[in-house]
Amino acid sequence: MQNPPKFTTLGCRLNAYETEAMKDLAAQAGMEGAVIVNTCAVTAEAVRKARQEIRKLRRDNPDAQIIVTGCAAQTEPQTFAAMAEVDRVIGNTEKMQAGTWTRLAAETGPDFIGQTERVAVDDIMSVTETAGHLIDGFGTRSRAYVQVQNGCDHRCTFCIIPYGRGNSRSVPAGVVVDQIKRLVDKGFNEVVLTGVDLTSWGADLPAAPRLGDLVMRILKLVPDLPRLRISSIDSIEVDENLMAAIATEPRLMPHLHLSLQHGDDMILKRMKRRHLRDDAIRFAQEAIRLRPDMTFGADIIAGFPTETEEMFENSLRLVEDCSLTWLHVFPYSPRQGTPAARMPAVDGRAIKERAARLRAAGDARVQRHLAAQIGNTHRVLMENPHMGRTEQFTEVTFAAPQTEGQIVTAVITGLDAHQLTAITP
């Protein structure tokens, strides 16, 4: 292809995964010369950044066809259709269909006359299946990501994502296992299962299997896979088999990212979360009891509407109570179209200050975690010749180059900012 399309990805890991699928679909369709923007809708700021990026891309590519897709295109198609810089807006379902790219490819050549409908965004809630988009190699040469689920059946009051992704749909276990086998055959030493609401996997499949069933099946049927990792989970939905895997399967990595969002029961109820504070603490304590080297990341929102200082303190204490290490702190910003946007807002300065305090607590936990590793031996998966990650997802740097994609035994010698330093024995 002389002039392949250019892709820009905004937002989450799943968007990045789907961009890789779109690249394959566009190549198969023979599409040339276009610029495709895969947008995020998680906050109003994300939509603003998408519009800003589109304007920049038009300045840099004055003659290209600009196509906008992703969650923001799905939730606000007319916002982007109204931009003079945009030629086409396609929805989250349409972007994963080969026929979409075949039609778009026909529009990019010399015969393009712009007669196709400018906006192609269907009702995402009508979608009932998620295809297993077989991306054999997304990520680094060492780690590959496999989408096993899409959409969300829950309606948290701060979140617009279900309206961009639709209801929960699962990729059948057999399709997932076959893809992971191919990835292992290609030399990948770690696979990450990803989705929008990962712990809801299986509810829409025959016999309603659970995520733990999928994890156990992968580990049993792909014995040559060295490391299996799962991305963000909702701890209240964790099933017995997943807890059993945590306890008994060393190839399941001891790192879980928890969708907690807050540490105060009243705020959790106003968010329409399905867990309370004690549920989160119980899960974290049990996971550590079953797997003493378990580490946690977590999403926490600072300054949710009606949050008092006392309520915020409950979130702050959750960092210690749940032994959280890797915090993703989100200062609350209202998302138009969500119930939370109509709730009494917290002062912006207080939101900023509370977010900073949460980040400081997270940084302190990271430093404690790093210091505790000095002198220990870890198995490190190399992402490039000088940096890899432990099983707990901690970054480790090496002065001497290592083989990218390999798992090396390393002795931790020190720490530098948010990274460990190591040597191979």
Side-chain angles (χ1 to χ4, degrees), residues 52 56 133 196 237 375:
Q52 183 181 49
K56 177 181 180 296
H133 306 298
V196 174
E237 294 184 324

Side-chain angles (χ1 to χ4, degrees), residues 195-227:
V196 174
D197 182 27
L198 196 59
T199 28
S200 71
W201 180 88
D204 57 321
L205 296 176
R210 304 291 299 277
L211 181 61
D213 302 322
L214 177 64
V215 167
M216 288 292 206
R217 186 167 176 178
I218 291 167
L219 292 170
K220 178 181 179 181
L221 296 180
V222 196
D224 294 335
L225 172 66
R227 291 163 60 141

Side-chain angles (χ1 to χ4, degrees), residues 66-82:
I66 292 185
I67 299 163
V68 179
T69 187
C71 289
Q74 182 69 46
T75 57
E76 302 181 31
Q78 297 309 320
T79 294
F80 296 96

